[in-house]
Amino acid sequence: MKWNSKILNLKAYQPGKSIEEVKAAFHLDEIHKLASNENPYGYSPKVKDLLDKEGSSTFSYYPDGYSTQLRKEAAEFLGVKPTQLIFSNGTDELLHIISNALLEPGKNTVMANPTFSQYKHNAILEGAEIREVPLINGEHDLDGMLTQINQDTAIVWVCSPNNPTGVYINDEKLQSFLKKVPKDVLVVLDEAYYEYVCADDYYDARVLIQQYPNLIVTRTFSKIYGLASFRIGYGIASEEIIQALEPVRQPFNTNVLAQKVASVALSDQSFVQNCRKLNHEELERFYQFCEKENLNYYPSQGNFILIDFAHDGDEVFSFLLSKGYIVRSGKALGFPTSVRVTIGTKEQNDGVMDAMLEFLKQASMIN
Ligand SMILES: *Cc1c(COP(=O)(O)O)cnc(C)c1O
């Protein structure tokens, strides 16, 4: 076959282990997946009501490819024009659309390292040069990133809060960066965890979009809204950027149920606020645990925490797995001695912290 040479060294995305797989392998009855930053509280009861009713709908028609109703409601909620939004099959697809629209051989793209893996993956697919700038203390080195921008730079990726560290960028730092980025370079601000942020000096992306016409903000219904399996995300930007991206989007990229559940989920902000509050409280308990056990961690504004065990991350991962907790080993995430844990419910967190303690005891006996 005459495969595109760019894809030859690419690996397919390795999904986290499924609950069923782990149950079978370890003969455990109860498994807790704390690996992919999903919402442990599920989704709004309003979504459940809708799904109970929708069973009898007609699914033989194509969905509204423009997501008109959801667009109208999201625009109102966000205080932007409907024409400033683009909807996608998860944010993942939007990142792909953006890369497809701007990157090609001869151009380059600037990003942090480690950060969300898909920025790099998409850049390889498009044959663009990748310029990675190491994080400093888990935070984007925005000045370092600026020095990497030249006349061939098409996209700069900024992930805040950053996955996998959970560290955010404050308003002042971000604005001083945005002022210096050339106006013909697109800045993608990935806010997958925006709704979890509690920091006072966080920026308001909607204000930034008015001020910086070369900025697109991406958000998702997969995380705090608890709708990961429906695959729906969106971008907010100037009308000019949205117009340029629209032809790259597949005509029916979001499905009819995803559009409906997203609308309903958006209308239940008390569910969102409750999840945010619980997440914040539970994060604090993880901090206390880490302080007590002398483990390094990054303060997180997301629904996950990266904890350094000073041991091979795969070993920590395997141990926790055998106790029924699926987390992510830091090895594949650029932090070889850490694991990334999604903040679960209080019970799940008690359980995973107990399992971590067991690991630490066992590890100290070996050493
Ligand atoms: C989870 C995540 C996404 C992808 O979200 P989907 O909408 O489910 O595709 C994008 N960016 C970051 C940083 C994420 O952690």
Side-chain angles (χ1 to χ4, degrees):
M1 300 293 161
K2 297 163 190 172
W3 300 119
N4 179 336
S5 59
K6 296 191 295 271
I7 73 166
L8 293 180
N9 289 321
L10 274 184
K11 286 202 207 88
Y13 179 75
Q14 293 288 321
K17 284 200 190 299
S18 78
I19 290 180
E20 295 312 318
E21 269 178 294
V22 178
K23 262 189 193 164
F26 293 94
H27 309 290
L28 291 164
D29 292 335
E30 243 191 276
I31 303 293
H32 302 279
K33 184 164 179 259
L34 301 173
S36 305
N37 306 342
E38 292 125 335
N39 186 340
Y41 308 105
Y43 41 74
S44 158
K46 290 188 180 183
V47 169
K48 184 168 183 314
D49 289 347
L50 175 88
L51 290 172
D52 289 345
K53 277 189 238 133
E54 282 298 319
S56 54
S57 296
T58 305
F59 293 122
S60 52
Y61 295 107
Y62 280 100
D64 169 7
Y66 195 59
S67 311
T68 312
Q69 187 62 26
L70 172 60
R71 179 180 297 274
K72 189 170 153 264
E73 290 168 15
E76 234 161 75
F77 174 70
L78 295 165
V80 299
K81 292 187 209 158
T83 43
Q84 287 184 275
L85 296 173
I86 182 168
F87 290 90
S88 57
N89 199 285
T91 305
D92 276 347
E93 191 209 15
L94 182 54
L95 304 179
H96 182 74
I97 291 172
I98 294 168
S99 302
N100 202 214
L102 286 145
L103 299 181
E104 59 192 323
K107 291 189 186 161
N108 71 61
T109 180
V110 177
M111 63 192 73
N113 180 34
T115 189
F116 190 55
S117 60
Q118 292 304 299
Y119 315 144
K120 184 173 183 175
H121 187 94
N122 283 314
I124 294 171
L125 279 178
E126 304 302 338
E129 181 203 336
I130 295 153
R131 299 184 162 202
E132 296 178 282
V133 179
L135 298 174
I136 298 177
N137 289 327
E139 186 175 343
H140 281 54
D141 173 11
L142 294 175
D143 289 334
M145 290 172 76
L146 280 172
T147 66
Q148 290 301 308
I149 297 174
N150 68 5
Q151 74 278 6
D152 297 324
T153 304
I155 307 177
V156 180
W157 305 91
V158 177
C159 188
S160 174
N162 187 40
N163 183 357
T165 57
V167 177
Y168 76 110
I169 301 168
N170 74 25
D171 184 45
E172 193 190 324
K173 286 183 191 172
L174 185 67
Q175 294 231 32
S176 121
F177 169 78
L178 288 171
K179 278 191 193 112
K180 291 177 202 144
V181 176
K183 292 294 156 258
D184 60 350
V185 174
L186 184 71
V187 178
V188 181
L189 179 58
D190 185 341
E191 284 198 321
Y193 301 97
Y194 157 73
E195 297 86 354
Y196 281 109
V197 172
C198 292
D200 295 334
D201 56 354
Y202 200 67
Y203 42 82
D204 182 342
R206 294 168 311 174
V207 175
L208 298 184
I209 277 159
Q210 309 301 335
Q211 279 164 6
Y212 305 95
N214 58 329
L215 174 67
I216 183 165
V217 174
T218 67
R219 292 193 184 160
T220 182
F221 285 96
S222 297
K223 303 285 156 63
I224 209 166
Y225 288 98
L227 303 175
S229 68
F230 282 102
R231 312 303 305 126
I232 188 145
Y234 61 98
I236 325 168
S238 65
E239 286 177 305
E240 290 71 24
I241 291 175
I242 300 296
Q243 266 172 29
L245 293 176
E246 273 291 322
V248 186
R249 181 178 69 77
Q250 301 275 332
F252 302 106
N253 61 334
T254 62
N255 70 75
V256 65
L257 269 186
Q259 292 177 22
K260 284 191 184 178
V261 295
S263 277
V264 171
L266 207 55
S267 76
D268 191 353
Q269 288 301 312
S270 66
F271 174 80
V272 171
Q273 287 314 317
N274 192 239
C275 293
R276 174 171 172 268
K277 181 170 155 279
L278 292 170
N279 181 70
H280 189 70
E281 289 167 9
E282 290 299 309
L283 255 176
E284 289 291 335
R285 294 210 304 132
F286 272 97
Y287 298 162
Q288 284 162 17
F289 172 83
C290 292
E291 308 278 350
K292 191 156 162 279
E293 301 307 323
N294 266 319
L295 300 170
N296 284 325
Y297 66 93
Y298 291 112
S300 171
Q301 293 288 326
N303 67 335
F304 56 89
I305 183 168
L306 189 70
I307 304 177
D308 189 351
F309 281 81
H311 273 91
D312 185 299
D314 286 355
E315 269 177 44
V316 185
F317 164 82
S318 299
F319 184 89
L320 297 178
L321 192 64
S322 72
K323 303 290 168 193
Y325 294 92
I326 315 175
V327 302
R328 276 300 292 273
S329 165
K331 256 207 170 150
L333 303 174
F335 292 91
T337 58
S338 298
V339 295
R340 191 194 67 195
V341 190
T342 300
I343 309 304
T345 60
K346 182 170 187 312
E347 294 70 30
Q348 289 176 323
N349 301 333
D350 283 339
V352 78
M353 283 188 254
D354 280 349
M356 287 171 174
L357 266 183
E358 264 188 78
F359 173 83
L360 291 170
K361 267 194 204 134
Q362 179 217 257
S364 70
M365 280 190 302
I366 294 166
N367 283 349

